[in-house]
Amino acid sequence: MGESGTPYIAFADNTTAKRKAEARASSGSEGSAAKGCCARIFCCLCGTREPQSRTIRLNAARPTRLRFPKNIVINTKYTLVSFVPKVLFEQFRYFFNLYFLLVAVSQFFPSLQIGLLVTYIAPLAFVLAVTMSKEAYDDLQRYRTDREINRELYTRLLPGGGTEAIRAQDLQVGAACGAFMRCMHLLELLTRIRP
């Protein structure tokens, strides 16, 4: 429908009331008070909320009043700031890498020094350099794939009846896309064929 009319309701979740009724019915059993108390404490500490009923209006100018996360795909493991610390942490979690680091550090003390300092530091530095370059290459490939997916174009149906090309990362909850409408049309045809 247009912006002046009521948009179609694509999704309405009314299961919250059912869940609350089931929780009240099961609260009479033994141990449920402690379970409920622990669950409330867990929810307070972890920041989780009880599910709320929601209505998503299909293709409205303002689809919902709630805020939903953006439709951006991010699979990269590192940022420019976190790359070195995360890679070093991952490498020194392994016993042998940590062992070789401790042996290399021990060579800085004259009483513990056995040979040339370079013979202890060079192998460790080589392994770390190879690992860091491999991780950087893999993360760059993930970034390129994410960018390609996020820039993929879709046809969005406008509330007035027109269409526009929109990137995948700019889609919002409740937006009707051309592929979605084709699926709805096919479902409508199938329901007409079958009684």
Side-chain angles (χ1 to χ4, degrees), residues 87-190:
V87 170
L88 290 178
F89 174 74
E90 288 294 322
Q91 286 304 305
F92 291 127
R93 277 184 21 194
Y94 299 113
F95 173 75
F96 288 112
N97 289 348
L98 185 61
Y99 171 76
F100 284 114
L101 175 69
L102 293 175
V103 169
V105 168
S106 72
Q107 297 306 302
F108 285 107
F109 300 104
S111 61
L112 298 175
Q113 193 171 17
I114 297 174
L116 294 174
L117 187 61
V118 176
T119 59
Y120 291 97
I121 294 178
L124 183 64
F126 176 74
V127 168
L128 290 177
V130 168
T131 302
M132 287 179 136
S133 61
K134 178 190 154 300
E135 287 291 329
Y137 177 76
D138 289 345
D139 210 47
L140 182 64
Q141 294 300 340
R142 283 190 288 268
Y143 172 75
R144 287 180 179 162
T145 304
D146 291 347
R147 189 176 62 189
E148 181 180 321
I149 290 170
N150 288 330
R151 290 183 177 176
E152 188 174 342
L153 290 177
Y154 287 89
T155 303
R156 178 178 175 251
L157 302 175
L158 298 173
T163 61
E164 74 172 337
I166 189 169
R167 295 185 304 186
Q169 68 185 17
D170 297 328
L171 285 174
Q172 295 178 348
V173 173
C177 295
F180 173 75
M181 295 310 285
R182 284 192 295 273
C183 291
M184 293 299 288
H185 180 69
L186 288 174
L187 285 173
E188 190 176 308
L189 289 175
L190 287 174

Side-chain angles (χ1 to χ4, degrees), residues 2-17:
E3 289 192 33
S4 61
T6 306
Y8 298 108
I9 295 177
F11 176 76
D13 182 14
N14 297 322
T15 58
T16 306

